[in-house]
Amino acid sequence: MSAQAPTIPLLTPYKLGKFNLSHRVVLAPLTRRRSYNNLPQPHAILYYSQRTTNGGLLIAEASGVSDTAQGFADMPGLWTEEQVEAWKPIVDAVHAKGGVFFCQIWHAGRVSNSVFQPNGQAPISCTDKPLTPQVLSDGVDVAEFTPPRQLRTDEIPQIINDFRLSARNAIEAGFDGVEIHGANGYLIDQFMKDQVNDRTDQYGGSLENRCRFALEIIEAVVNEIGADKVGIRLSPFADYMESGDSNPEALGLYMVQSLNKYGILYCHVIEPRMKEAAVKSESADSLLPMRKAFNGTFIAAGGFDREDGNNAVAEGCADLIAYGRWFLSNPDLAKRFELNAPLNKYDRSTFYTSDPVVGYTDYPFLETTA
């Protein structure tokens, strides 16, 4: 018998709070736009269970916290009882295979169009600065955005409450926890970034003021469901959806130091090399200062393959690595990494199409031999 190959760093176990993970390959939250009328669909049962391993962490796609949260068609929500009920069989399928399942909760803010808003109203944001049309990461679709309406100071508590209720709904649906979406140019990120936020109240101006909205959401959600069930996603270095910051290092560091006060489970951060969605570029910036300052579990995402995922874990740059496009196209990604098997290529053109099978649940598994 040949000697057992040493376990690669990505496939070593990890204790995530009360959850015992069998490996460090995480399914990143991926918008797939197959939740017709904002309702999770039965085909998502197969999609998520295909990507579940015993002791693997999965983060479900961004789910809206209210009827003003949507930015694109057919994204799921967590603001109605009907949505909660629709999520339950999906969550059950992941748990049946031993997976740990968190749900990302989000609000698009100005990354929206009045057609997705109640009564065709303007999207809401920290600003009334409009967003120019953007090519989406499938490389095909161009999204048009309606100029936003700036939230009044007295409206902000309601949005924070929407996140709290949505987190409670996620737990009711059976999820193990939630990831608050504070990245990628959506509402929370709009508040944090000085190139977007032009407010003059206590939610704008200084770094502390710009981060206030995010931290008040964290506090509300932690108080509702417990810090051991809360993560956040951040992208201080990114400029997605025209949401850049003049000092991303300071922003990232301030946020993780502030998060420590709440004792949340994890912080999930987009690598600086991913300045724009799905575009990998050279960057001298590093997540290491954030990693070192944060007391909880640190998840890195953005452009990782098997080799640099292994290196990131081995070198202590991150505890867990989230994979998006490669996990989308390789439902058995952890197994392929274990065997160093070739990966299925992903097809960008079907990232956001509404077909319940094609480009969704039809990516092949490795042929298993008995």
Side-chain angles (χ1 to χ4, degrees):
M1 262 182 78
S2 61
Q4 178 87 30
T7 304
I8 62 171
L10 279 169
L11 297 181
T12 54
Y14 179 78
K15 189 149 179 56
L16 174 66
K18 63 185 178 189
F19 307 107
N20 294 309
L21 303 186
S22 60
H23 60 82
R24 299 167 188 247
V25 179
V26 177
L27 175 67
L30 297 168
T31 290
R32 302 308 313 274
R33 287 170 57 181
R34 287 161 167 87
S35 298
Y36 315 135
N37 300 315
N38 307 131
L39 208 57
Q41 297 295 309
H43 46 250
I45 298 172
L46 178 59
Y47 171 75
Y48 282 108
S49 70
Q50 282 178 336
R51 285 156 186 77
T52 303
T53 48
N54 190 12
L57 173 63
L58 297 83
I59 308 168
E61 63 209 276
S63 299
V65 299
S66 69
D67 60 359
T68 67
Q70 298 302 332
F72 305 99
D74 296 333
M75 291 182 66
L78 263 172
W79 74 87
T80 70
E81 193 55 46
E82 190 183 10
Q83 290 163 340
V84 171
E85 291 303 314
W87 271 117
K88 283 180 179 177
I90 304 166
V91 178
D92 288 347
V94 169
H95 285 155
K97 290 180 74 173
V100 176
F101 206 11
F102 273 56
C103 189
Q104 188 183 69
I105 55 176
W106 82 311
H107 194 299
R110 69 174 184 167
V111 186
S112 187
N113 187 294
S114 56
V115 300
F116 304 125
Q117 296 296 319
N119 309 313
Q121 68 192 36
I124 54 176
S125 181
C126 62
T127 183
D128 58 9
K129 286 190 287 195
L131 184 58
T132 57
Q134 306 280 318
V135 178
L136 300 181
S137 54
D138 61 2
V140 180
D141 294 332
V142 176
E144 304 266 347
F145 307 106
T146 306
R149 177 180 71 79
Q150 186 179 57
L151 283 163
R152 299 188 315 270
T153 309
D154 65 351
E155 292 178 289
I156 290 174
Q158 178 58 51
I159 311 297
I160 293 166
N161 196 50
D162 289 337
F163 274 89
R164 180 185 69 81
L165 293 173
S166 184
R168 185 167 80 189
N169 286 341
I171 300 304
E172 192 193 328
F175 283 105
D176 297 298
V178 298
E179 174 176 291
I180 294 161
H181 197 346
N184 298 15
Y186 299 117
L187 183 63
I188 295 173
D189 205 26
Q190 289 158 33
F191 269 85
M192 286 192 281
K193 298 289 183 65
D194 64 9
Q195 289 176 23
V196 185
N197 188 333
D198 55 359
R199 303 181 72 88
T200 55
D201 62 3
Q202 67 263 40
Y203 293 96
S206 69
L207 177 59
E208 292 77 8
N209 280 359
R210 284 181 282 118
C211 294
R212 187 185 307 278
F213 179 61
L215 295 171
E216 287 183 352
I217 288 171
I218 288 280
E219 183 173 35
V221 170
V222 162
N223 287 342
E224 183 65 37
I225 66 171
D228 59 336
K229 301 182 192 71
V230 179
I232 189 170
R233 195 178 219 204
L234 300 171
S235 58
F237 293 93
D239 191 14
Y240 299 169
M241 300 294 176
E242 296 170 12
S243 292
D245 194 82
S246 62
N247 192 343
E249 296 89 349
L251 172 59
L253 214 47
Y254 177 77
M255 275 302 293
V256 291
Q257 288 165 342
S258 303
L259 293 171
N260 284 338
K261 298 171 193 163
Y262 300 102
I264 65 169
L265 183 62
Y266 74 75
C267 186
H268 180 184
V269 189
I270 312 270
E271 281 286 332
R273 62 188 173 192
M274 307 300 285
K275 286 268 191 290
E276 297 169 44
V279 180
K280 200 167 167 179
S281 57
E282 289 300 311
S283 174
D285 293 311
S286 166
L287 295 182
L288 214 51
M290 288 178 72
R291 152 70 165 171
K292 287 178 173 167
F294 184 60
N295 294 340
T297 292
F298 198 81
I299 307 178
F304 283 97
D305 57 19
R306 180 182 186 269
E307 183 184 12
D308 63 357
N310 274 325
N311 291 341
V313 172
E315 293 162 13
C317 299
D319 299 303
L320 309 172
I321 306 293
Y323 289 88
R325 289 160 288 167
W326 289 121
F327 218 146
L328 178 157
S329 59
N330 295 274
D332 50 357
L333 187 62
K335 173 59 87 177
R336 287 176 190 254
F337 281 170
E338 181 188 350
L339 301 173
N340 204 10
L343 301 180
N344 300 323
K345 290 186 167 57
Y346 47 83
D347 179 359
R348 283 184 191 283
S349 70
T350 56
F351 281 4
Y352 306 130
T353 46
S354 60
D355 193 291
V357 176
V358 177
Y360 191 57
T361 54
D362 62 350
Y363 282 105
F365 287 76
L366 282 172
E367 292 301 317
T368 49
T369 50

